[in-house]
Amino acid sequence: MEESAGDHGNAGQGGRKEEINDPKETHVGPSDTSYLSEQKHSGDSWSDGRLAHQRDDKEDRGPRMTKNFLQKLCKKHKLYITPALNDTLYLHYKGFGRIENLEEYTGLRCLWLECNGIRKIENLEAQTELRCLFLQVNLLCKVENLEPLQKLDALNVSNNYIKTIENLSCLPVLNTLQMAHNHLETVEDAQHLKECLKLCVLDLSHNKLSDPEILSILESMPDLRVLNLMGNPVTRNIPNYRRTVTVRLKHLTYLDDRPVFPKD
């Protein structure tokens, strides 16, 4: 509450009252104690719809990315008060559940959103100048709604719940993709990489990829130079793993945890 609402120390009585009564700035709802008590007394008779409704209510009580909060954050970090003048915005470790109210921040080149509770990539239509988007450690299940980001160079969606690589071919200059610690399993889950012709750095470490056929997809990526497959079963399923990968992907300069040397 203190961080979301900002510093009220110098605000007048009217200013404090307005902020307290603003439903977007406060997160009023049933307390965790009453929620658990109500759930305990009602037992298994609650329907799935009712439980889902309660979960939504609990999510709504979380911090919101309001315009007022964004202005206070810019002031705190000594950024520009005029939203469009900022090229970087630090919104990590805030507990946000949604991306919202960024319409005026049209000059952003780097957006830090990691370590929140974001469930969907959305509301980035105004960020046409964005180069770097950091969304690692959130609750994403899908890569989507990136079409406006035509200048995006680096995307980090590691430590999420993504099962399929998709909707990236709309990014013509995407150079770096970090998708470690997700839920990729099959060759089909990574098939979309064939359409990402400009990718140079690819981190797929610590997924569940097991089929050696993944190399046929990686071979079709002409600019691929840095690859990380550590933590996937496929590294054990490819005979002479390091030698095989470096021979088939002739342009690699870095594989997993170390550079590719001539002897490789």
Side-chain angles (χ1 to χ4, degrees), residues 12-30:
Q13 183 66 28
R16 287 197 297 270
K17 183 176 181 182
E18 179 181 351
E19 288 182 358
I20 291 173
N21 290 334
D22 185 354
K24 293 182 180 179
E25 289 293 288
T26 60
H27 319 297
V28 179

Side-chain angles (χ1 to χ4, degrees), residues 185-192 209 211-214 216-217:
E185 293 187 29
T186 68
V187 173
E188 288 72 23
D189 294 339
Q191 195 76 25
H192 184 66
L209 298 167
D211 192 340
E213 275 301 304
I214 189 70
S216 64
I217 294 175

Side-chain angles (χ1 to χ4, degrees), residues 146-176:
L146 297 175
E147 290 80 6
L149 312 183
Q150 292 295 294
K151 298 181 181 180
L152 193 68
D153 177 83
L155 174 64
N156 191 335
V157 288
S158 297
N159 293 90
N160 280 282
Y161 299 91
I162 298 168
K163 296 181 178 180
T164 305
I165 300 175
E166 58 186 338
N167 301 321
L168 293 175
S169 58
C170 62
L171 305 174
V173 296
L174 186 65
N175 177 274
T176 300

Side-chain angles (χ1 to χ4, degrees), residues 17 20 26 44 68 70 88-89 95 146 154 209 217 242 247 255:
K17 183 176 181 182
I20 291 173
T26 60
D44 296 334
N68 189 33
L70 293 171
T88 302
L89 203 55
L146 297 175
L209 298 167
I217 294 175
R242 188 171 182 86
V247 167
L255 176 61

Side-chain angles (χ1 to χ4, degrees), residues 16-248:
R16 287 197 297 270
K17 183 176 181 182
E18 179 181 351
E19 288 182 358
I20 291 173
N21 290 334
D22 185 354
K24 293 182 180 179
E25 289 293 288
T26 60
H27 319 297
V28 179
S31 67
D32 289 340
T33 303
S34 62
Y35 172 77
L36 291 173
S37 175
E38 189 175 359
Q39 190 178 42
K40 178 180 178 182
H41 286 299
S42 25
D44 296 334
S45 62
W46 287 59
S47 67
D48 290 341
R50 178 62 174 167
L51 290 174
H53 180 68
Q54 281 199 337
R55 285 194 296 269
D56 291 341
D57 287 345
K58 292 191 75 178
E59 290 171 8
D60 289 343
R61 298 207 309 271
R64 295 292 297 273
M65 198 182 296
T66 63
K67 291 184 178 182
N68 189 33
F69 174 84
L70 293 171
Q71 289 177 346
K72 290 179 179 178
L73 188 73
C74 289
K75 184 177 181 180
K76 177 181 178 181
H77 290 288
K78 298 182 179 180
L79 302 175
Y80 294 104
I81 299 300
T82 303
L85 296 179
N86 292 293
D87 60 6
T88 302
L89 203 55
Y90 302 100
L91 298 174
H92 50 312
Y93 293 95
K94 303 297 181 187
F96 294 131
R98 291 188 62 194
I99 303 171
E100 55 187 338
N101 293 312
L102 294 177
E103 295 83 1
E104 298 177 359
Y105 293 82
T106 55
L108 290 181
R109 290 177 175 243
C110 189
L111 181 56
W112 300 77
L113 288 167
E114 73 268 27
C115 297
N116 283 289
I118 296 170
R119 297 175 178 273
K120 183 178 182 180
I121 303 175
E122 59 183 340
N123 299 323
L124 295 174
E125 291 81 7
Q127 281 63 59
T128 56
E129 297 298 317
L130 202 63
R131 266 64 168 181
C132 301
L133 178 57
F134 299 103
L135 279 163
Q136 64 268 32
V137 196
N138 276 285
L139 302 174
L140 300 174
C141 293
K142 186 176 182 179
V143 177
E144 58 187 333
N145 300 323
L146 297 175
E147 290 80 6
L149 312 183
Q150 292 295 294
K151 298 181 181 180
L152 193 68
D153 177 83
L155 174 64
N156 191 335
V157 288
S158 297
N159 293 90
N160 280 282
Y161 299 91
I162 298 168
K163 296 181 178 180
T164 305
I165 300 175
E166 58 186 338
N167 301 321
L168 293 175
S169 58
C170 62
L171 305 174
V173 296
L174 186 65
N175 177 274
T176 300
L177 175 63
Q178 293 169 270
M179 201 175 281
H181 292 278
N182 276 280
H183 293 266
L184 306 175
E185 293 187 29
T186 68
V187 173
E188 288 72 23
D189 294 339
Q191 195 76 25
H192 184 66
L193 288 173
K194 289 184 175 181
E195 302 177 41
C196 304
L197 301 179
K198 294 295 183 180
L199 269 183
C200 180
V201 179
L202 178 61
D203 184 359
L204 299 178
S205 61
H206 302 285
N207 277 273
K208 302 174 183 178
L209 298 167
S210 59
D211 192 340
E213 275 301 304
I214 189 70
L215 291 183
S216 64
I217 294 175
L218 301 174
E219 278 179 320
S220 68
M221 304 172 66
D223 289 345
L224 187 61
R225 298 293 183 271
V226 178
L227 173 65
N228 192 341
L229 290 174
M230 292 176 66
N232 285 282
V234 71
T235 60
R236 301 189 297 270
N237 296 341
I238 297 176
N240 301 310
Y241 165 70
R242 188 171 182 86
R243 180 180 297 273
T244 300
V245 173
T246 52
V247 167
R248 293 186 61 174

